[in-house]
Amino acid sequence: MPESMKEVTVTTETDENKHRKNGLYRRVSTELAENMRRGWADTERRDVEPIAQAVHTARRRAALSARFPGETLVVPAGRPKVRANDTAYPFRPSSDYVYLSGDQSRDAVLVMEPERSGGHRAIAYLLPRSDRGNGEFWLDYHGELWDGRRDSLAENERRLGLPCRDVRTLAGRLGAVTGPVRLLRGHDAGVDDALASRVTAGDDAGFREFLSGMRLVKDAFEIADLRFACEATASGFEDVVRALGTTTPTPERLIEGTFRTRARVEGNDVGYASVCAAGSHATILHWVRNDGAAYPGDLLLLDAGVETRDLYTADVTRTLPVNGRFTPVQREVYEAVYAAQEAGIAAVGPGAAYRDFHEAAQRVLAEHLASWGLFGERSAQEAYELGLQRRWTLAGTGHMLGLDVHDCAKARTETYVDGTLQPGMVLTVEPGIYFQPDDLTVPERYRGIGVRIEDDILVTEDGNENLSACLPRQAEEVEAWMARLRG
Ligand code: GLY
Ligand code: MN
Ligand code: MN
């Protein structure tokens, strides 16, 4: 072997890709290694502006700091999950990391270090630009030559308004921490291991609960982003209506793909797996297999939301007649759900108990179910008190919405489900009726019909605002909207 073909040792950014078994290139000549070190322009950006939410992330960190004086707080973004070999699942950073930093980098960790003078100093530990000198930028399969340019630490400092450090120095830094530590576990196994002897499950649960609760009331940036998420989602629903009937039947996956195209073009992605449920699939709450097809005469229940580039998601459902016109029995069920949603939305306002909208909607559903004879001799009130409507209404009537579709899920029960609505909270109101096709307790004409209507409601100072009102809900308006879109 010529001297110049001997193997060159490279430093890699991550452990998992040090060696690519069965890669076609076995070794790197010293000439090539030397060649790859040189001839690259300086691409440092010196005109980076702070992100739009930097003032908000600073305020959020200040609120966190005030709650945990004297403690080191560690919030990892997480790492990409390997799918196979050097292929990863799409990466999305942890919502709490995004909330506190405004950043979306993989492998990143936000550390809030307590200061002697009080308060905390927040530092973002990030992957820096790939080193060209030691070859990692092209020899590591997550180097910038493969994955694309990263912002430098200096650029990130300007962008995020935070001091930034190389994440590869974090283990040493954490090893030197004294005093109490709280960690958001479950996102980064490396950080979890490094702090295993320093944290307790109880302290971490309290930390997670506080972070989740902080996110209950949205700030102006978040509300604007959720508004945009709803608008982009409405555009996606319009795309689906235009696509319905371009093939007969219309595959549910064509519907899924049509909506996702809009989500990828206008946002980051869908905020959760789209439910594209035609015919009796609409009676299955989590129908995401989407391997059926929508036939004229069927209903299509479409539950889908665009997640914006800042990672806030809408969560909207419309139940649409595939051929543009509800049949009488479909309309009968639809109007019951619509009436329940109207009652639910009317119960959303500052000072209302969180549960009020759910109870208002479920009462209306119980009345309709009673009027159809489904409770036998029992009154709607009696059936409601026994929860008998749940056989056909299945789920709770809504949830908080934000960075996660089921947002703030770990918040204290007293401030969420047993709490009081405040201006700035955003929640879904999504009553539904689901008559399973094999439910012998309902008249045959109802079997296989599923209807949900879901909107995203902002609590305002004097009531509420429906952020997804850009999509029609009332039956005749839905029909007119579909007719217009289909020309
Ligand atoms: N799409 C999930 C939900 O409606 O809760
Ligand atoms: Mn939904
Ligand atoms: Mn929902």
Side-chain angles (χ1 to χ4, degrees), residues 30 53 230 261:
T30 45
Q53 63 174 319
C230 288
T261 299

Side-chain angles (χ1 to χ4, degrees), residues 44-63:
E44 180 74 10
R45 296 176 187 144
R46 292 168 180 88
D47 56 354
V48 175
E49 296 288 334
I51 54 172
Q53 63 174 319
V55 288
H56 297 287
T57 56
R59 192 193 41 71
R60 297 167 195 163
R61 290 192 299 272

Side-chain angles (χ1 to χ4, degrees), residues 304-318:
V306 171
E307 176 189 69
T308 66
R309 295 191 180 172
D310 289 304
L311 308 187
Y312 286 80
T313 190
D315 180 12
V316 176
T317 306
R318 289 293 180 269

Side-chain angles (χ1 to χ4, degrees), residues 257-389:
T258 300
F259 186 83
R260 179 146 192 262
T261 299
R262 177 66 69 166
R264 289 291 282 167
V265 170
E266 291 207 23
N268 178 56
D269 206 336
V270 289
Y272 54 90
S274 302
V275 176
C276 305
S280 63
H281 291 161
T283 66
I284 303 168
L285 287 189
H286 298 159
W287 180 257
V288 294
R289 226 178 285 164
N290 297 344
D291 60 358
Y295 289 82
D298 279 350
L299 291 176
L300 168 70
L301 185 156
L302 176 60
D303 181 346
V306 171
E307 176 189 69
T308 66
R309 295 191 180 172
D310 289 304
L311 308 187
Y312 286 80
T313 190
D315 180 12
V316 176
T317 306
R318 289 293 180 269
T319 306
L320 309 171
V322 173
N323 62 6
R325 298 280 297 175
F326 290 100
T327 66
V329 68
Q330 289 168 351
R331 186 180 302 263
E332 191 184 3
V333 178
Y334 189 93
E335 286 182 342
V337 175
Y338 176 74
Q341 201 202 20
E342 286 282 275
I345 294 173
V348 173
Y354 172 76
R355 287 180 187 279
D356 285 355
F357 80 97
H358 166 69
E359 289 172 4
Q362 292 296 313
R363 279 181 194 282
V364 172
L365 292 174
E367 281 158 17
H368 282 82
L369 293 165
S371 75
W372 298 333
L374 299 190
F375 300 130
E377 297 301 306
R378 292 189 201 275
S379 68
Q381 175 68 19
E382 196 184 351
Y384 171 76
E385 279 162 13
L386 294 168
L388 298 182
Q389 84 284 358

Side-chain angles (χ1 to χ4, degrees), residues 272 303 315 399 405-406 430 454:
Y272 54 90
D303 181 346
D315 180 12
H399 51 84
V405 62
H406 292 175
E430 51 174 307
E454 176 172 24

Side-chain angles (χ1 to χ4, degrees), residues 201 241-242 245 316 324 352 355 416 450:
V241 169
R242 287 190 203 94
V316 176
R355 287 180 187 279
Y416 187 168

